[in-house]
Amino acid sequence: MVNIAPSILSADFSRLGEELEAVEKAGADWIHLDIMDGHFVPNLTFGAPVVKSIRSKSGLYFDAHLMVMNPDDHFEDFARAGVDGITIHQETGLHLDRSITAIKELGLDAGISLNPATPVSTIEHLLPRLDLVLIMSVNPGFGGQRFIDYTLDKIIALKVLKEKSGWDFKIAVDGGVVPENAALLIESGAEVLVAGSAIFGKEDYRAAISALRVGL
Ligand code: DX5
Ligand code: ZN
């Protein structure tokens, strides 16, 4: 079954703890944490201290999506803050192999994210060691953007590679995920749907999460 990962980027930051409890009660599987540095992406969000302060509010899997330059400098801080997995961007990694090893050595799951224009082939050799591949289906930096259609091809390509090889990374999709495209995404191979505005932008979190799980 697909995992639904609400992105707290669209949550009410003044009530983060309550928002986490609410989505957990409403049936969320993971919590997606968008870490932005104002350099790799134009926006700034929050760092390890905030993650640490909300860790006790939820028993769900904490999935840290690092949209930052020099991500390796922050692995230990996020590990100490209690995240379960760290995903870095292919485009920020000069030494991706080393970064993946470092994340694994901290006992965390390791993922790589691809911007819309970055091909899957750029991470092919790392796939056997990855726990997650996060396909960005919008240009990272903001919530509430429109899904970029050609990124679906990359989800399908990853599914084919996964089936052929038996590697067990999960395929995640992030950006513009809405009930209207959820069924197609799942059918194409997405195993984790990250969604910000399609959950936190709604009144009824339970209905919003179910709508993503089954599609419209
Ligand atoms: C964008 C972030 C996403 C964002 C998705 O850079 O990585 O996780 O929160 O927001 P929606 O679901 O509103 O497109
Ligand atoms: Zn994200």
Side-chain angles (χ1 to χ4, degrees), residues 45-87:
T45 54
F46 50 86
V50 171
V51 175
K52 192 172 178 197
S53 74
I54 56 175
R55 178 64 276 192
S56 63
K57 302 292 180 188
S58 171
L60 296 181
Y61 184 99
F62 270 21
D63 163 36
H65 176 194
L66 266 51
M67 287 163 276
V68 304
M69 302 303 287
N70 306 315
D72 303 46
D73 295 351
H74 306 282
F75 294 162
E76 277 184 31
D77 285 348
F78 282 103
R80 269 197 292 267
V83 304
D84 298 286
I86 292 180
T87 296

Side-chain angles (χ1 to χ4, degrees), residues 2 4 179 182-184 186 193 207-216:
V2 70
I4 305 294
L184 177 63
I186 296 167
L193 298 183
I209 289 171
S210 315
L212 291 172
R213 223 183 265 295
V214 298
L216 275 189

Side-chain angles (χ1 to χ4, degrees), residues 141-195:
F142 303 94
Q145 304 180 80
R146 215 183 118 79
F147 187 90
I148 298 173
D149 289 332
Y150 67 77
T151 61
L152 190 67
D153 295 348
K154 296 200 286 180
I155 297 171
I156 295 168
L158 278 169
K159 187 185 185 193
V160 170
L161 278 170
K162 199 176 152 158
E163 283 173 355
K164 263 205 301 208
S165 62
W167 296 326
D168 62 5
F169 61 85
K170 280 193 160 55
I171 304 169
V173 56
D174 185 5
V177 175
V178 289
E180 288 79 1
N181 59 23
L184 177 63
L185 293 171
I186 296 167
E187 201 179 295
S188 303
E191 299 163 293
V192 181
L193 298 183
V194 176

Side-chain angles (χ1 to χ4, degrees), residues 7 9-10 32 34 36 65 67 136 138 140-145 174-177 194-197:
S7 159
L9 184 62
S10 296
H32 183 84
D34 285 308
M36 304 186 186
H65 176 194
M67 287 163 276
M136 287 309 302
V138 297
F142 303 94
Q145 304 180 80
D174 185 5
V177 175
V194 176
S197 47

